[in-house]
Short mmCIF file of all heavy atoms in Angstrom, two decimals:
data_model
loop_
_atom_site.label_atom_id
_atom_site.label_comp_id
_atom_site.label_asym_id
_atom_site.label_seq_id
_atom_site.Cartn_x
_atom_site.Cartn_y
_atom_site.Cartn_z
N ASN B 359 -20.73 7.64 -32.48
CA ASN B 359 -19.29 7.46 -32.30
C ASN B 359 -18.89 7.25 -30.84
O ASN B 359 -17.73 7.43 -30.46
CB ASN B 359 -18.53 8.68 -32.85
CG ASN B 359 -18.92 8.95 -34.29
OD1 ASN B 359 -19.07 8.00 -35.06
ND2 ASN B 359 -19.12 10.22 -34.63
N GLY B 360 -19.86 6.93 -30.02
CA GLY B 360 -19.55 6.71 -28.61
C GLY B 360 -19.30 8.02 -27.87
O GLY B 360 -19.67 9.09 -28.35
N PHE B 361 -18.67 7.92 -26.69
CA PHE B 361 -18.38 9.13 -25.89
C PHE B 361 -17.27 8.82 -24.89
O PHE B 361 -16.82 7.68 -24.78
CB PHE B 361 -19.64 9.64 -25.18
CG PHE B 361 -20.35 8.58 -24.35
CD1 PHE B 361 -19.96 8.31 -23.05
CD2 PHE B 361 -21.41 7.86 -24.90
CE1 PHE B 361 -20.60 7.34 -22.30
CE2 PHE B 361 -22.07 6.87 -24.15
CZ PHE B 361 -21.66 6.62 -22.85
N GLU B 362 -16.84 9.86 -24.17
CA GLU B 362 -15.79 9.68 -23.14
C GLU B 362 -16.47 9.61 -21.78
O GLU B 362 -17.44 10.32 -21.53
CB GLU B 362 -14.86 10.90 -23.11
CG GLU B 362 -14.28 11.30 -24.45
CD GLU B 362 -13.06 10.47 -24.80
OE1 GLU B 362 -12.24 10.21 -23.90
OE2 GLU B 362 -12.93 10.07 -25.99
N THR B 363 -15.94 8.77 -20.88
CA THR B 363 -16.49 8.75 -19.52
C THR B 363 -15.44 8.25 -18.54
O THR B 363 -14.27 8.10 -18.89
CB THR B 363 -17.79 7.91 -19.46
OG1 THR B 363 -18.36 8.07 -18.17
CG2 THR B 363 -17.51 6.43 -19.71
N GLN B 364 -15.86 8.03 -17.30
CA GLN B 364 -14.94 7.61 -16.24
C GLN B 364 -15.50 6.45 -15.45
O GLN B 364 -16.70 6.42 -15.17
CB GLN B 364 -14.78 8.74 -15.23
CG GLN B 364 -13.69 9.70 -15.56
CD GLN B 364 -13.52 10.71 -14.44
OE1 GLN B 364 -14.27 10.68 -13.48
NE2 GLN B 364 -12.55 11.58 -14.56
N ILE B 365 -14.65 5.51 -15.08
CA ILE B 365 -15.06 4.43 -14.17
C ILE B 365 -14.29 4.59 -12.86
O ILE B 365 -13.06 4.65 -12.87
CB ILE B 365 -14.74 3.04 -14.75
CG1 ILE B 365 -15.39 2.86 -16.12
CG2 ILE B 365 -15.19 1.93 -13.80
CD1 ILE B 365 -15.06 1.53 -16.79
N GLU B 366 -15.02 4.69 -11.75
CA GLU B 366 -14.35 4.76 -10.45
C GLU B 366 -14.23 3.34 -9.90
O GLU B 366 -15.14 2.53 -10.02
CB GLU B 366 -15.20 5.57 -9.45
CG GLU B 366 -15.76 6.86 -9.99
CD GLU B 366 -14.73 7.96 -10.11
OE1 GLU B 366 -13.61 7.79 -9.57
OE2 GLU B 366 -15.02 8.97 -10.77
N THR B 367 -13.08 3.07 -9.27
CA THR B 367 -12.91 1.75 -8.69
C THR B 367 -12.00 1.85 -7.46
O THR B 367 -11.35 2.87 -7.26
CB THR B 367 -12.35 0.74 -9.72
OG1 THR B 367 -12.35 -0.56 -9.15
CG2 THR B 367 -10.94 1.10 -10.15
N ALA B 368 -12.00 0.82 -6.63
CA ALA B 368 -11.23 0.88 -5.37
C ALA B 368 -9.87 0.20 -5.54
O ALA B 368 -9.81 -0.99 -5.82
CB ALA B 368 -12.01 0.21 -4.25
N ALA B 369 -8.81 0.97 -5.36
CA ALA B 369 -7.45 0.44 -5.52
C ALA B 369 -7.16 -0.66 -4.49
O ALA B 369 -6.32 -1.53 -4.71
CB ALA B 369 -6.44 1.56 -5.37
N THR B 370 -7.89 -0.60 -3.36
CA THR B 370 -7.66 -1.56 -2.28
C THR B 370 -7.97 -2.99 -2.70
O THR B 370 -7.39 -3.92 -2.18
CB THR B 370 -8.59 -1.19 -1.09
OG1 THR B 370 -8.68 0.23 -1.04
CG2 THR B 370 -8.07 -1.73 0.21
N TYR B 371 -8.92 -3.14 -3.64
CA TYR B 371 -9.36 -4.48 -4.01
C TYR B 371 -8.95 -4.80 -5.45
O TYR B 371 -9.55 -4.28 -6.39
CB TYR B 371 -10.87 -4.61 -3.85
CG TYR B 371 -11.29 -4.49 -2.41
CD1 TYR B 371 -11.80 -3.30 -1.91
CD2 TYR B 371 -11.14 -5.55 -1.53
CE1 TYR B 371 -12.16 -3.18 -0.57
CE2 TYR B 371 -11.49 -5.44 -0.20
CZ TYR B 371 -12.01 -4.25 0.27
OH TYR B 371 -12.34 -4.15 1.59
N PRO B 372 -7.95 -5.68 -5.63
CA PRO B 372 -7.46 -5.99 -6.97
C PRO B 372 -8.58 -6.45 -7.91
O PRO B 372 -8.57 -6.10 -9.09
CB PRO B 372 -6.47 -7.13 -6.73
CG PRO B 372 -6.07 -7.02 -5.31
CD PRO B 372 -7.22 -6.39 -4.58
N ASP B 373 -9.56 -7.20 -7.39
CA ASP B 373 -10.62 -7.70 -8.28
C ASP B 373 -11.46 -6.56 -8.84
O ASP B 373 -11.91 -6.61 -9.98
CB ASP B 373 -11.50 -8.73 -7.56
CG ASP B 373 -12.27 -8.13 -6.41
OD1 ASP B 373 -11.69 -8.03 -5.31
OD2 ASP B 373 -13.44 -7.75 -6.61
N MET B 374 -11.65 -5.51 -8.05
CA MET B 374 -12.43 -4.37 -8.55
C MET B 374 -11.65 -3.64 -9.65
O MET B 374 -12.24 -3.18 -10.63
CB MET B 374 -12.75 -3.40 -7.41
CG MET B 374 -13.77 -3.90 -6.43
SD MET B 374 -14.42 -2.50 -5.49
CE MET B 374 -15.08 -3.33 -4.08
N VAL B 375 -10.34 -3.53 -9.45
CA VAL B 375 -9.51 -2.86 -10.46
C VAL B 375 -9.55 -3.66 -11.76
O VAL B 375 -9.76 -3.11 -12.84
CB VAL B 375 -8.07 -2.70 -9.95
CG1 VAL B 375 -7.19 -2.09 -11.04
CG2 VAL B 375 -8.04 -1.82 -8.70
N GLU B 376 -9.36 -4.99 -11.65
CA GLU B 376 -9.36 -5.83 -12.85
C GLU B 376 -10.72 -5.78 -13.55
O GLU B 376 -10.79 -5.74 -14.78
CB GLU B 376 -9.03 -7.29 -12.48
CG GLU B 376 -7.56 -7.51 -12.18
CD GLU B 376 -7.29 -8.92 -11.70
OE1 GLU B 376 -7.96 -9.86 -12.18
OE2 GLU B 376 -6.42 -9.09 -10.81
N THR B 377 -11.80 -5.80 -12.77
CA THR B 377 -13.14 -5.73 -13.36
C THR B 377 -13.28 -4.45 -14.17
O THR B 377 -13.77 -4.47 -15.31
CB THR B 377 -14.21 -5.77 -12.25
OG1 THR B 377 -14.04 -6.99 -11.50
CG2 THR B 377 -15.61 -5.74 -12.82
N ALA B 378 -12.80 -3.33 -13.61
CA ALA B 378 -12.88 -2.06 -14.32
C ALA B 378 -12.08 -2.12 -15.62
O ALA B 378 -12.51 -1.60 -16.66
CB ALA B 378 -12.36 -0.93 -13.42
N GLN B 379 -10.92 -2.78 -15.56
CA GLN B 379 -10.07 -2.86 -16.76
C GLN B 379 -10.73 -3.69 -17.86
O GLN B 379 -10.69 -3.32 -19.04
CB GLN B 379 -8.70 -3.44 -16.40
CG GLN B 379 -7.85 -2.43 -15.62
CD GLN B 379 -6.68 -3.06 -14.91
OE1 GLN B 379 -6.66 -4.28 -14.68
NE2 GLN B 379 -5.71 -2.24 -14.53
N VAL B 380 -11.35 -4.80 -17.48
CA VAL B 380 -12.03 -5.64 -18.48
C VAL B 380 -13.18 -4.85 -19.12
O VAL B 380 -13.35 -4.83 -20.34
CB VAL B 380 -12.55 -6.95 -17.84
CG1 VAL B 380 -13.37 -7.75 -18.84
CG2 VAL B 380 -11.39 -7.79 -17.34
N ILE B 381 -13.97 -4.17 -18.28
CA ILE B 381 -15.11 -3.40 -18.79
C ILE B 381 -14.62 -2.28 -19.71
O ILE B 381 -15.22 -2.01 -20.75
CB ILE B 381 -15.95 -2.85 -17.62
CG1 ILE B 381 -16.66 -4.01 -16.92
CG2 ILE B 381 -16.98 -1.82 -18.12
CD1 ILE B 381 -17.42 -3.63 -15.68
N GLN B 382 -13.52 -1.64 -19.30
CA GLN B 382 -12.94 -0.57 -20.13
C GLN B 382 -12.66 -1.08 -21.55
O GLN B 382 -13.02 -0.44 -22.53
CB GLN B 382 -11.65 -0.10 -19.47
CG GLN B 382 -10.92 1.02 -20.21
CD GLN B 382 -9.56 1.30 -19.58
OE1 GLN B 382 -8.84 0.37 -19.19
NE2 GLN B 382 -9.21 2.57 -19.49
N GLN B 383 -12.06 -2.27 -21.63
CA GLN B 383 -11.76 -2.87 -22.94
C GLN B 383 -13.04 -3.16 -23.72
O GLN B 383 -13.14 -2.89 -24.90
CB GLN B 383 -10.98 -4.19 -22.76
CG GLN B 383 -9.54 -4.01 -22.31
CD GLN B 383 -8.76 -3.10 -23.24
OE1 GLN B 383 -8.91 -3.16 -24.46
NE2 GLN B 383 -7.96 -2.21 -22.68
N GLN B 384 -14.03 -3.72 -23.02
CA GLN B 384 -15.26 -4.12 -23.69
C GLN B 384 -16.05 -2.90 -24.20
O GLN B 384 -16.68 -2.96 -25.25
CB GLN B 384 -16.12 -4.96 -22.74
CG GLN B 384 -15.46 -6.31 -22.43
CD GLN B 384 -16.20 -7.08 -21.36
OE1 GLN B 384 -17.06 -6.54 -20.66
NE2 GLN B 384 -15.86 -8.35 -21.21
N LEU B 385 -15.98 -1.80 -23.45
CA LEU B 385 -16.71 -0.61 -23.87
C LEU B 385 -16.04 0.07 -25.06
O LEU B 385 -16.68 0.74 -25.86
CB LEU B 385 -16.86 0.39 -22.71
CG LEU B 385 -17.76 -0.07 -21.55
CD1 LEU B 385 -17.86 1.03 -20.50
CD2 LEU B 385 -19.15 -0.44 -22.05
N LYS B 386 -14.72 -0.13 -25.17
CA LYS B 386 -13.97 0.43 -26.31
C LYS B 386 -14.58 -0.07 -27.62
O LYS B 386 -14.65 0.67 -28.60
CB LYS B 386 -12.52 -0.02 -26.24
CG LYS B 386 -11.60 1.07 -25.73
CD LYS B 386 -10.17 0.88 -26.17
CE LYS B 386 -9.31 1.90 -25.44
NZ LYS B 386 -8.45 1.32 -24.43
N ALA B 387 -15.02 -1.33 -27.61
CA ALA B 387 -15.55 -1.94 -28.84
C ALA B 387 -16.77 -1.20 -29.37
O ALA B 387 -17.08 -1.29 -30.55
CB ALA B 387 -15.90 -3.41 -28.57
N ILE B 388 -17.50 -0.46 -28.50
CA ILE B 388 -18.65 0.29 -29.01
C ILE B 388 -18.38 1.80 -28.98
O ILE B 388 -19.30 2.62 -29.00
CB ILE B 388 -19.96 -0.06 -28.26
CG1 ILE B 388 -19.85 0.26 -26.77
CG2 ILE B 388 -20.34 -1.51 -28.48
CD1 ILE B 388 -21.18 0.22 -26.04
N GLY B 389 -17.09 2.13 -28.89
CA GLY B 389 -16.72 3.54 -29.00
C GLY B 389 -16.77 4.33 -27.70
O GLY B 389 -16.57 5.53 -27.70
N ILE B 390 -17.05 3.66 -26.57
CA ILE B 390 -17.04 4.38 -25.30
C ILE B 390 -15.63 4.30 -24.71
O ILE B 390 -15.12 3.21 -24.44
CB ILE B 390 -18.06 3.79 -24.30
CG1 ILE B 390 -19.48 3.92 -24.88
CG2 ILE B 390 -17.98 4.49 -22.96
CD1 ILE B 390 -20.56 3.30 -24.02
N ASN B 391 -14.98 5.47 -24.54
CA ASN B 391 -13.65 5.50 -23.94
C ASN B 391 -13.76 5.87 -22.48
O ASN B 391 -14.08 7.00 -22.14
CB ASN B 391 -12.77 6.53 -24.67
CG ASN B 391 -12.37 6.01 -26.04
OD1 ASN B 391 -12.00 4.85 -26.17
ND2 ASN B 391 -12.51 6.85 -27.05
N ALA B 392 -13.51 4.89 -21.63
CA ALA B 392 -13.64 5.14 -20.20
C ALA B 392 -12.25 5.23 -19.57
O ALA B 392 -11.40 4.40 -19.81
CB ALA B 392 -14.43 4.00 -19.55
#
Side-chain angles (χ1 to χ4, degrees):
Chain B
N359 306 319
F361 53 85
E362 308 277 319
T363 187
Q364 271 185 357
I365 304 177
E366 315 285 348
T367 187
T370 324
Y371 295 100
D373 65 276
M374 288 198 200
V375 176
E376 285 175 35
T377 301
Q379 287 164 341
V380 174
I381 291 174
Q382 180 187 40
Q383 288 305 320
Q384 293 173 347
L385 292 183
K386 258 203 188 109
I388 60 167
I390 298 177
N391 287 315

